[in-house]
Amino acid sequence: MASPDNLVLENITLCAGQTRVLNQVSLTVPLEGITLLSGRNGAGKSTVLRACLDLVRPEKGQILIDGLPPGMACERIGYMPQGLSDAALMIPAISHVMAAMDGARWGVPVRFGQRKREAERLLALTGALSFSKRPLGHLSGGERQRVCLAQALAGQPGLLLLDEPLAALDHDAQQQIVALLVSLTQTLGVSILMTSHETAALEGKVTRVLALENGELHVRI
Amino acid sequence: MFEFEFMRHAFLGCTLVSVLAGTVGWFLSLRRQAFAAHALSHIGFSGAAGAVWLGVSPLFGMIAFSLLAGLAIGSEGEGRGKIPPQRDSTIGLVLAASLGLGTWFLHEANGASSMATTLLFGDVLGIDTPTLFILAGVTALCLLGLVFLGRPLLFSSLTPEVARARGVPVRLTSLGFMAVAALACSACAEVSGALLAFSLMIGPAATALRLGLCPAMGLLVSVLLALVLSWGGLMLSWITDIPIPFWIGLGAGIFYGLANLWTRLRTN
């Protein structure tokens, strides 16, 4: 799927508990390559990402992704939440990817062979094919991130929203994941909007930076 | 032993219940809701006690109470963002309220001690033809429910936050599944009693999950193990005159222990 053109925030006021994350922000951000959403701890970066997925609703204003509200654009977006999931660690990695491929449709899975081949293709893209049959709980942090990325890519999204994909990884693993993200933008043409505190690992790799501070959002090229 | 009608009925009942327990139990274990399986069968006991008091079939009371409790538990959903669901607290509170009601129902139903024993420990050898039909209906209904919920249920069980982001109605799926689980627990309680109904649901499923199998294979192994447990329990009960729930509980523990050992040996 082609990557979305842009992310539009129209007079958005967004809150996380008592904190006002965005205060009447209007902004149009072209989505191409890797866009880094930066900000201090507790600034509300994850909340902004979740608002882009319709997981939290803004108090005022609207968000448009490629001209569509988040609830209607969800099929075009792949999501990787913050932190490693501790759910279903005993299920093989490939099953996590297969479940995401048509998980929003009712009924039992069909075309098992075709879905398996597609899952293997995605796992190969993220460098996770060699451990795809191992239970998720037997994988290292970096390996699990690769599986989660493959899961986010299920359904051929044009935009990936990645919440702290470099957290809790050592320097080498961070470099490998960043190289993988750059490669995905080039080979698949997907856009990435991600949060990260590991700015050093991303130096020279991001197209633009969105700085979230005191309820305001600024674009820095 | 098959020359007796009650034994044929018992084997048929065990077969139906095992298919149900193996599939529903696998999802319950995957979603870390073993406590729900335990609680729902006890809650069903309260409903059955109420039905005895009202003079209707205990199985209907069990199904009605479990269903209501399942919907109450399912309404907890999957949590929001970084806030996990408070499932255990919800289940505990619903269980406590139901057992309180069950105690009152038993008190009101005079001479209920023998009935209470039957409800608590099951009476697989007392399954009559109408009960078999009800069990078959409940099994068919639950399996249809699982087929319908299939993909969203699996997706939201594995990664609820990602599923919600993809537009899966996670709360509705959770409610639907708990309704199915409530019906299944009522059916299992008919065979192994309210006290040990969850052993047939959780034992085989936990063993299958411990083996690290993919969902399709895990469900199959879970059903097969449930069949081995219930049929084996019935045969051993016939031979030894020890109640079937004992054999099911013991077998479930042994299966899980063996799976644990095998997994450790394979990993090392």
Side-chain angles (χ1 to χ4, degrees):
Chain A
M1 185 173 283
S3 67
D5 292 323
N6 49 39
L7 167 70
V8 178
L9 307 180
E10 290 180 354
N11 197 28
I12 287 284
T13 298
L14 179 67
C15 295
Q18 300 298 315
T19 309
R20 188 161 283 204
V21 175
L22 294 176
N23 190 14
Q24 296 184 321
V25 170
S26 291
L27 191 70
T28 297
V29 188
L31 292 172
E32 55 188 356
I34 299 176
T35 304
L36 175 66
L37 177 60
S38 70
R40 59 173 172 76
N41 277 336
K45 301 184 294 295
S46 299
T47 306
V48 173
L49 284 194
R50 298 184 80 237
C52 291
L53 292 156
D54 203 28
L55 296 176
V56 289
R57 297 271 168 85
E59 293 203 344
K60 277 201 308 188
Q62 70 168 345
I63 297 173
L64 296 172
I65 296 167
D66 204 16
L68 294 170
M72 294 178 72
C74 62
E75 284 187 7
R76 304 178 182 202
I77 304 172
Y79 177 47
M80 191 171 118
Q82 186 177 7
L84 295 170
S85 169
D86 63 349
L89 297 179
M90 65 297 282
I91 299 292
I94 191 168
S95 298
H96 286 259
V97 180
M98 288 172 73
M101 286 166 64
D102 51 4
R105 295 181 191 156
W106 298 109
V108 289
V110 289
R111 296 192 293 273
F112 181 84
Q114 188 182 331
R115 288 169 58 249
K116 187 171 180 229
R117 282 192 296 277
E118 173 63 8
E120 285 171 346
R121 186 184 72 82
L122 295 174
L123 286 160
L125 270 174
T126 60
L129 188 58
S130 58
F131 42 83
S132 64
K133 289 178 184 164
R134 284 161 54 191
L136 205 60
H138 291 183
L139 305 182
S140 71
E143 288 171 335
R144 278 164 72 175
Q145 294 288 48
R146 288 173 184 273
V147 175
C148 292
L149 263 176
Q151 189 183 44
L153 286 167
Q156 297 179 305
L159 172 64
L160 293 182
L161 299 189
L162 313 177
D163 199 355
E164 297 288 351
L166 306 180
L169 298 180
D170 62 32
H171 179 263
D172 287 348
Q174 282 180 6
Q175 294 296 334
Q176 288 168 10
I177 294 291
V178 169
L180 173 59
L181 296 180
V182 171
S183 148
L184 289 176
T185 60
Q186 290 166 351
T187 55
L188 298 181
V190 293
S191 305
I192 295 175
L193 174 59
M194 62 181 282
T195 65
S196 180
H197 287 287
E198 319 297 337
T199 47
L202 287 160
E203 207 168 296
K205 309 289 185 190
V206 299
T207 313
R208 62 181 53 78
V209 177
L210 295 177
L212 180 62
E213 197 173 20
N214 300 323
E216 295 179 357
L217 197 58
H218 302 286
V219 183
R220 292 174 193 156
I221 306 294
Chain B
M1 69 180 86
F2 291 104
E3 64 196 83
F4 299 103
E5 188 181 34
F6 70 88
M7 282 304 284
R8 291 198 296 273
H9 281 182
F11 269 98
L12 271 174
C14 281
T15 304
L16 291 168
V17 161
S18 298
V19 171
L20 198 49
T23 46
V24 174
W26 187 85
F27 278 107
L28 279 169
S29 297
L30 180 70
R31 296 162 66 84
R32 299 181 182 182
Q33 290 179 316
F35 183 35
H38 174 73
L40 281 170
S41 49
H42 284 57
I43 290 164
F45 161 73
S46 298
V52 169
W53 179 33
L54 295 172
V56 296
S57 165
L59 184 54
F60 287 127
M62 200 176 267
I63 287 173
F65 242 59
S66 300
L67 202 55
L68 283 175
L71 292 174
I73 293 167
S75 66
E76 180 63 39
E78 303 289 340
R80 281 270 164 194
K82 296 171 189 170
I83 303 168
Q86 302 294 310
R87 279 200 199 113
D88 284 356
S89 307
T90 309
I91 295 167
L93 288 168
V94 173
L95 175 62
S98 303
L99 286 181
L101 277 172
T103 310
W104 177 51
F105 292 154
L106 275 180
H107 174 74
E108 292 297 323
N110 287 328
S113 61
S114 63
M115 180 62 76
T117 307
T118 304
L119 296 174
L120 282 172
F121 296 103
D123 184 19
V124 69
L125 300 181
I127 294 179
D128 54 15
T129 308
T131 307
L132 264 183
F133 276 110
I134 295 171
L135 283 180
V138 168
T139 303
L141 191 64
C142 288
L143 292 180
L144 277 174
L146 283 182
V147 165
F148 179 70
L149 292 173
R151 284 182 280 197
L153 179 62
L154 181 61
F155 191 14
S156 60
S157 301
L158 294 177
T159 41
E161 183 79 344
V162 178
R164 193 179 288 120
R166 281 290 172 99
V168 173
V170 173
R171 195 181 186 83
L172 188 66
T173 305
S174 179
L175 268 175
F177 174 65
M178 284 317 294
V180 168
L183 287 173
C185 283
S186 302
C188 288
E190 190 67 24
V191 168
S192 50
L195 275 181
L196 283 168
F198 72 101
S199 61
L200 196 55
M201 301 200 85
I202 300 307
T207 304
L209 282 170
R210 194 74 186 90
L211 293 171
L213 303 170
C214 70
M217 196 55 78
L219 280 163
L220 182 66
V221 168
S222 181
V223 169
L224 289 176
L225 288 178
L227 282 168
V228 169
L229 275 184
S230 64
W231 287 345
L234 202 52
M235 286 189 238
L236 287 169
S237 178
W238 172 269
I239 294 165
T240 62
D241 204 26
I242 297 173
I244 182 173
F246 165 78
W247 293 114
I248 291 177
L250 184 69
I254 290 172
F255 278 152
Y256 187 76
L258 288 174
N260 212 7
L261 187 66
W262 188 77
T263 308
R264 284 188 185 187
L265 287 174
R266 194 179 61 164
T267 309
N268 293 334

Short mmCIF file of all heavy atoms in Angstrom, two decimals, chain A residues 78-80 93-94 96-101 118-129 131-132 142-157 160 162 177 180-181 184 188, chain B residues 162 166:
data_model
loop_
_atom_site.label_atom_id
_atom_site.label_comp_id
_atom_site.label_asym_id
_atom_site.label_seq_id
_atom_site.Cartn_x
_atom_site.Cartn_y
_atom_site.Cartn_z
N GLY A 78 0.23 0.34 10.74
CA GLY A 78 0.78 -0.73 11.56
C GLY A 78 1.27 -0.13 12.85
O GLY A 78 1.82 0.97 12.85
N TYR A 79 1.07 -0.82 13.96
CA TYR A 79 1.38 -0.24 15.27
C TYR A 79 2.24 -1.20 16.09
O TYR A 79 2.00 -2.40 16.12
CB TYR A 79 0.06 0.03 16.01
CG TYR A 79 0.20 0.56 17.42
CD1 TYR A 79 1.07 1.59 17.73
CD2 TYR A 79 -0.59 0.03 18.45
CE1 TYR A 79 1.16 2.08 19.03
CE2 TYR A 79 -0.51 0.53 19.74
CZ TYR A 79 0.36 1.54 20.02
OH TYR A 79 0.46 2.02 21.30
N MET A 80 3.24 -0.63 16.73
CA MET A 80 4.05 -1.40 17.67
C MET A 80 4.06 -0.64 18.99
O MET A 80 4.67 0.42 19.08
CB MET A 80 5.47 -1.54 17.12
CG MET A 80 6.31 -2.51 17.88
SD MET A 80 7.85 -2.79 16.99
CE MET A 80 9.00 -2.19 18.16
N ALA A 93 6.54 -17.38 17.39
CA ALA A 93 6.59 -16.01 16.85
C ALA A 93 5.75 -15.87 15.59
O ALA A 93 5.02 -14.90 15.41
CB ALA A 93 8.04 -15.63 16.58
N ILE A 94 5.82 -16.86 14.71
CA ILE A 94 5.11 -16.75 13.43
C ILE A 94 3.59 -16.68 13.64
O ILE A 94 2.88 -16.01 12.87
CB ILE A 94 5.48 -17.93 12.48
CG1 ILE A 94 4.94 -17.64 11.08
CG2 ILE A 94 4.99 -19.25 12.99
CD1 ILE A 94 5.48 -18.57 10.02
N HIS A 96 2.07 -15.11 15.99
CA HIS A 96 1.74 -13.73 16.34
C HIS A 96 1.56 -12.89 15.08
O HIS A 96 0.69 -12.03 15.02
CB HIS A 96 2.85 -13.12 17.21
CG HIS A 96 2.84 -13.64 18.62
ND1 HIS A 96 2.30 -12.94 19.67
CD2 HIS A 96 3.28 -14.80 19.14
CE1 HIS A 96 2.42 -13.64 20.78
NE2 HIS A 96 3.02 -14.77 20.49
N VAL A 97 2.40 -13.15 14.09
CA VAL A 97 2.31 -12.39 12.83
C VAL A 97 1.07 -12.83 12.04
O VAL A 97 0.31 -11.99 11.54
CB VAL A 97 3.59 -12.58 11.99
CG1 VAL A 97 3.50 -11.79 10.68
CG2 VAL A 97 4.81 -12.15 12.78
N MET A 98 0.84 -14.15 11.99
CA MET A 98 -0.32 -14.65 11.24
C MET A 98 -1.63 -14.16 11.84
O MET A 98 -2.57 -13.84 11.12
CB MET A 98 -0.28 -16.19 11.21
CG MET A 98 0.80 -16.74 10.30
SD MET A 98 0.99 -18.53 10.42
CE MET A 98 -0.49 -19.07 9.57
N ALA A 99 -1.68 -14.08 13.17
CA ALA A 99 -2.92 -13.63 13.83
C ALA A 99 -3.24 -12.19 13.47
O ALA A 99 -4.41 -11.80 13.42
CB ALA A 99 -2.78 -13.77 15.34
N ALA A 100 -2.18 -11.39 13.21
CA ALA A 100 -2.40 -9.97 12.91
C ALA A 100 -2.82 -9.74 11.47
O ALA A 100 -3.34 -8.67 11.14
CB ALA A 100 -1.12 -9.18 13.20
N MET A 101 -2.62 -10.75 10.61
CA MET A 101 -2.84 -10.53 9.18
C MET A 101 -4.31 -10.30 8.81
O MET A 101 -4.61 -9.50 7.95
CB MET A 101 -2.26 -11.69 8.37
CG MET A 101 -0.73 -11.60 8.35
SD MET A 101 0.06 -13.08 7.77
CE MET A 101 -0.53 -13.14 6.14
N GLU A 118 3.02 -15.59 3.64
CA GLU A 118 3.08 -14.14 3.79
C GLU A 118 3.76 -13.76 5.12
O GLU A 118 4.57 -12.83 5.17
CB GLU A 118 1.66 -13.56 3.71
CG GLU A 118 1.53 -12.08 4.00
CD GLU A 118 2.27 -11.18 3.01
OE1 GLU A 118 2.77 -11.69 1.99
OE2 GLU A 118 2.37 -9.96 3.29
N ALA A 119 3.42 -14.51 6.17
CA ALA A 119 4.04 -14.24 7.48
C ALA A 119 5.54 -14.48 7.40
O ALA A 119 6.34 -13.70 7.95
CB ALA A 119 3.40 -15.13 8.54
N GLU A 120 5.94 -15.54 6.70
CA GLU A 120 7.37 -15.85 6.56
C GLU A 120 8.08 -14.74 5.76
O GLU A 120 9.22 -14.38 6.06
CB GLU A 120 7.56 -17.21 5.88
CG GLU A 120 7.27 -18.37 6.83
CD GLU A 120 7.24 -19.73 6.14
OE1 GLU A 120 7.16 -19.77 4.89
OE2 GLU A 120 7.27 -20.73 6.87
N ARG A 121 7.38 -14.20 4.77
CA ARG A 121 7.96 -13.10 3.99
C ARG A 121 8.21 -11.88 4.88
O ARG A 121 9.28 -11.26 4.83
CB ARG A 121 7.01 -12.73 2.83
CG ARG A 121 7.58 -11.69 1.87
CD ARG A 121 6.56 -11.31 0.81
NE ARG A 121 5.48 -10.49 1.33
CZ ARG A 121 5.56 -9.16 1.51
NH1 ARG A 121 6.67 -8.52 1.20
NH2 ARG A 121 4.53 -8.50 1.99
N LEU A 122 7.23 -11.56 5.72
CA LEU A 122 7.37 -10.41 6.61
C LEU A 122 8.47 -10.65 7.65
O LEU A 122 9.26 -9.74 7.96
CB LEU A 122 6.04 -10.11 7.33
CG LEU A 122 4.89 -9.67 6.43
CD1 LEU A 122 3.60 -9.55 7.21
CD2 LEU A 122 5.22 -8.35 5.75
N LEU A 123 8.52 -11.87 8.15
CA LEU A 123 9.57 -12.19 9.14
C LEU A 123 10.95 -12.15 8.49
O LEU A 123 11.93 -11.75 9.12
CB LEU A 123 9.29 -13.57 9.76
CG LEU A 123 8.12 -13.59 10.77
CD1 LEU A 123 7.58 -15.00 10.96
CD2 LEU A 123 8.57 -13.02 12.11
N ALA A 124 11.03 -12.55 7.21
CA ALA A 124 12.30 -12.48 6.50
C ALA A 124 12.71 -11.02 6.31
O ALA A 124 13.89 -10.66 6.44
CB ALA A 124 12.18 -13.18 5.15
N LEU A 125 11.73 -10.16 6.01
CA LEU A 125 12.01 -8.73 5.83
C LEU A 125 12.62 -8.11 7.09
O LEU A 125 13.48 -7.23 7.02
CB LEU A 125 10.70 -7.99 5.51
CG LEU A 125 10.29 -7.84 4.06
CD1 LEU A 125 8.91 -7.22 3.98
CD2 LEU A 125 11.30 -6.99 3.30
N THR A 126 12.12 -8.55 8.25
CA THR A 126 12.61 -7.97 9.50
C THR A 126 13.74 -8.80 10.12
O THR A 126 14.13 -8.56 11.26
CB THR A 126 11.45 -7.83 10.53
OG1 THR A 126 10.91 -9.14 10.79
CG2 THR A 126 10.36 -6.93 10.01
N GLY A 127 14.21 -9.78 9.38
CA GLY A 127 15.35 -10.59 9.86
C GLY A 127 14.96 -11.51 11.01
O GLY A 127 15.79 -11.82 11.87
N ALA A 128 13.71 -11.96 11.03
CA ALA A 128 13.25 -12.79 12.15
C ALA A 128 12.85 -14.20 11.72
O ALA A 128 12.32 -14.95 12.53
CB ALA A 128 12.06 -12.10 12.84
N LEU A 129 13.13 -14.53 10.47
CA LEU A 129 12.66 -15.82 9.95
C LEU A 129 13.34 -17.00 10.65
O LEU A 129 12.71 -18.02 10.92
CB LEU A 129 12.88 -15.90 8.44
CG LEU A 129 12.28 -17.11 7.74
CD1 LEU A 129 10.77 -17.17 7.95
CD2 LEU A 129 12.59 -17.09 6.25
N PHE A 131 14.17 -17.50 13.64
CA PHE A 131 13.63 -17.90 14.95
C PHE A 131 12.10 -17.81 14.98
O PHE A 131 11.49 -17.69 16.03
CB PHE A 131 14.24 -17.07 16.09
CG PHE A 131 14.38 -15.61 15.80
CD1 PHE A 131 13.31 -14.76 15.98
CD2 PHE A 131 15.58 -15.08 15.37
CE1 PHE A 131 13.43 -13.41 15.74
CE2 PHE A 131 15.72 -13.73 15.11
CZ PHE A 131 14.63 -12.89 15.29
N SER A 132 11.48 -17.90 13.81
CA SER A 132 10.03 -17.72 13.73
C SER A 132 9.24 -18.84 14.38
O SER A 132 8.08 -18.65 14.76
CB SER A 132 9.60 -17.58 12.27
OG SER A 132 9.87 -18.79 11.59
N GLY A 142 15.83 -7.84 21.31
CA GLY A 142 16.00 -7.43 19.92
C GLY A 142 15.24 -8.33 18.96
O GLY A 142 14.64 -7.87 17.98
N GLU A 143 15.27 -9.63 19.26
CA GLU A 143 14.56 -10.58 18.39
C GLU A 143 13.06 -10.35 18.46
O GLU A 143 12.35 -10.40 17.45
CB GLU A 143 14.90 -12.02 18.82
CG GLU A 143 16.33 -12.43 18.47
CD GLU A 143 16.73 -13.77 19.08
OE1 GLU A 143 16.15 -14.16 20.11
OE2 GLU A 143 17.65 -14.41 18.55
N ARG A 144 12.57 -10.08 19.67
CA ARG A 144 11.13 -9.84 19.83
C ARG A 144 10.71 -8.55 19.12
O ARG A 144 9.62 -8.47 18.56
CB ARG A 144 10.75 -9.82 21.30
CG ARG A 144 10.58 -11.22 21.86
CD ARG A 144 10.59 -11.26 23.35
NE ARG A 144 9.39 -10.69 23.95
CZ ARG A 144 9.15 -10.72 25.26
NH1 ARG A 144 10.02 -11.28 26.07
NH2 ARG A 144 8.06 -10.19 25.75
N GLN A 145 11.59 -7.54 19.15
CA GLN A 145 11.27 -6.30 18.43
C GLN A 145 11.11 -6.57 16.94
O GLN A 145 10.24 -6.00 16.28
CB GLN A 145 12.39 -5.25 18.64
CG GLN A 145 12.54 -4.75 20.07
CD GLN A 145 11.41 -3.84 20.51
OE1 GLN A 145 10.25 -4.16 20.32
NE2 GLN A 145 11.73 -2.71 21.13
N ARG A 146 11.95 -7.45 16.42
CA ARG A 146 11.86 -7.79 14.98
C ARG A 146 10.55 -8.51 14.67
O ARG A 146 9.93 -8.26 13.63
CB ARG A 146 13.05 -8.67 14.57
CG ARG A 146 14.36 -7.91 14.52
CD ARG A 146 15.54 -8.84 14.27
NE ARG A 146 16.80 -8.10 14.32
CZ ARG A 146 17.34 -7.48 13.29
NH1 ARG A 146 16.76 -7.56 12.12
NH2 ARG A 146 18.48 -6.81 13.42
N VAL A 147 10.13 -9.38 15.58
CA VAL A 147 8.85 -10.08 15.39
C VAL A 147 7.70 -9.08 15.46
O VAL A 147 6.76 -9.12 14.64
CB VAL A 147 8.67 -11.19 16.46
CG1 VAL A 147 7.28 -11.83 16.33
CG2 VAL A 147 9.74 -12.26 16.31
N CYS A 148 7.77 -8.16 16.44
CA CYS A 148 6.71 -7.14 16.58
C CYS A 148 6.65 -6.24 15.34
O CYS A 148 5.56 -5.82 14.92
CB CYS A 148 6.93 -6.30 17.83
SG CYS A 148 6.70 -7.23 19.34
N LEU A 149 7.81 -5.96 14.76
CA LEU A 149 7.83 -5.17 13.53
C LEU A 149 7.15 -5.92 12.39
O LEU A 149 6.38 -5.33 11.61
CB LEU A 149 9.28 -4.85 13.14
CG LEU A 149 9.83 -3.50 13.57
CD1 LEU A 149 11.29 -3.40 13.19
CD2 LEU A 149 9.04 -2.36 12.92
N ALA A 150 7.44 -7.21 12.30
CA ALA A 150 6.79 -8.03 11.27
C ALA A 150 5.28 -8.03 11.49
O ALA A 150 4.50 -7.97 10.53
CB ALA A 150 7.33 -9.46 11.31
N GLN A 151 4.88 -8.09 12.76
CA GLN A 151 3.44 -8.06 13.07
C GLN A 151 2.83 -6.72 12.65
O GLN A 151 1.73 -6.67 12.10
CB GLN A 151 3.24 -8.27 14.57
CG GLN A 151 1.79 -8.48 14.96
CD GLN A 151 1.61 -8.62 16.45
OE1 GLN A 151 2.19 -7.87 17.23
NE2 GLN A 151 0.81 -9.59 16.86
N ALA A 152 3.57 -5.63 12.89
CA ALA A 152 3.08 -4.29 12.51
C ALA A 152 2.95 -4.17 11.00
O ALA A 152 2.10 -3.44 10.49
CB ALA A 152 4.00 -3.21 13.06
N LEU A 153 3.79 -4.91 10.28
CA LEU A 153 3.77 -4.84 8.80
C LEU A 153 2.66 -5.70 8.19
O LEU A 153 2.40 -5.60 6.98
CB LEU A 153 5.11 -5.29 8.24
CG LEU A 153 6.27 -4.30 8.39
CD1 LEU A 153 7.60 -4.97 8.07
CD2 LEU A 153 6.06 -3.08 7.48
N ALA A 154 2.03 -6.53 9.02
CA ALA A 154 0.95 -7.40 8.50
C ALA A 154 -0.20 -6.53 7.97
O ALA A 154 -0.58 -5.56 8.60
CB ALA A 154 0.45 -8.32 9.60
N GLY A 155 -0.72 -6.90 6.83
CA GLY A 155 -1.81 -6.12 6.23
C GLY A 155 -1.32 -5.02 5.31
O GLY A 155 -2.10 -4.18 4.88
N GLN A 156 -0.02 -5.00 5.03
CA GLN A 156 0.60 -4.03 4.13
C GLN A 156 0.23 -2.58 4.45
O GLN A 156 -0.35 -1.87 3.61
CB GLN A 156 0.20 -4.34 2.68
CG GLN A 156 0.71 -5.69 2.22
CD GLN A 156 0.30 -6.00 0.81
OE1 GLN A 156 -0.88 -5.96 0.45
NE2 GLN A 156 1.28 -6.29 -0.02
N PRO A 157 0.54 -2.12 5.65
CA PRO A 157 0.23 -0.72 5.99
C PRO A 157 1.17 0.24 5.27
O PRO A 157 2.29 -0.13 4.90
CB PRO A 157 0.48 -0.68 7.50
CG PRO A 157 1.52 -1.72 7.74
CD PRO A 157 1.27 -2.81 6.74
N LEU A 160 3.82 3.18 9.64
CA LEU A 160 4.09 2.45 10.87
C LEU A 160 4.19 3.44 12.02
O LEU A 160 4.93 4.43 11.92
CB LEU A 160 5.42 1.68 10.77
CG LEU A 160 5.50 0.52 9.79
CD1 LEU A 160 6.89 -0.14 9.88
CD2 LEU A 160 4.43 -0.52 10.08
N LEU A 162 5.53 3.52 15.68
CA LEU A 162 6.37 2.71 16.56
C LEU A 162 6.65 3.47 17.84
O LEU A 162 7.24 4.56 17.81
CB LEU A 162 7.69 2.35 15.86
CG LEU A 162 7.58 1.83 14.41
CD1 LEU A 162 8.97 1.58 13.83
CD2 LEU A 162 6.75 0.56 14.36
N ILE A 177 18.31 -2.33 14.58
CA ILE A 177 16.89 -2.00 14.39
C ILE A 177 16.76 -0.72 13.54
O ILE A 177 15.90 -0.65 12.64
CB ILE A 177 16.18 -1.83 15.75
CG1 ILE A 177 16.13 -3.16 16.51
CG2 ILE A 177 14.77 -1.28 15.56
CD1 ILE A 177 15.21 -4.21 15.92
N LEU A 180 17.34 -1.53 10.05
CA LEU A 180 16.17 -2.25 9.54
C LEU A 180 15.04 -1.27 9.20
O LEU A 180 14.40 -1.40 8.14
CB LEU A 180 15.70 -3.25 10.60
CG LEU A 180 14.39 -3.98 10.34
CD1 LEU A 180 14.45 -4.78 9.05
CD2 LEU A 180 14.06 -4.92 11.51
N LEU A 181 14.82 -0.27 10.06
CA LEU A 181 13.75 0.70 9.80
C LEU A 181 14.03 1.49 8.52
O LEU A 181 13.14 1.70 7.69
CB LEU A 181 13.59 1.66 11.00
CG LEU A 181 13.14 1.02 12.32
CD1 LEU A 181 13.02 2.09 13.42
CD2 LEU A 181 11.83 0.28 12.16
N LEU A 184 13.31 -0.66 5.62
CA LEU A 184 11.87 -0.84 5.36
C LEU A 184 11.29 0.36 4.61
O LEU A 184 10.43 0.20 3.73
CB LEU A 184 11.11 -1.03 6.68
CG LEU A 184 11.33 -2.37 7.40
CD1 LEU A 184 10.61 -2.39 8.75
CD2 LEU A 184 10.88 -3.53 6.55
N LEU A 188 10.00 -1.06 1.11
CA LEU A 188 8.54 -1.16 1.08
C LEU A 188 7.87 0.18 0.81
O LEU A 188 6.67 0.23 0.53
CB LEU A 188 8.02 -1.72 2.41
CG LEU A 188 8.46 -3.13 2.78
CD1 LEU A 188 7.84 -3.55 4.11
CD2 LEU A 188 8.08 -4.13 1.71
N VAL B 162 -2.52 -3.91 20.03
CA VAL B 162 -2.35 -3.87 18.57
C VAL B 162 -3.68 -4.21 17.88
O VAL B 162 -4.05 -3.59 16.88
CB VAL B 162 -1.24 -4.85 18.12
CG1 VAL B 162 -1.10 -4.84 16.60
CG2 VAL B 162 0.09 -4.49 18.76
N ARG B 166 -5.98 -1.93 15.29
CA ARG B 166 -6.39 -2.39 13.96
C ARG B 166 -7.90 -2.39 13.77
O ARG B 166 -8.42 -2.91 12.79
CB ARG B 166 -5.84 -3.79 13.70
CG ARG B 166 -4.38 -3.82 13.30
CD ARG B 166 -4.21 -3.24 11.90
NE ARG B 166 -2.83 -3.08 11.54
CZ ARG B 166 -2.15 -3.95 10.79
NH1 ARG B 166 -2.73 -5.03 10.38
NH2 ARG B 166 -0.90 -3.71 10.49
#
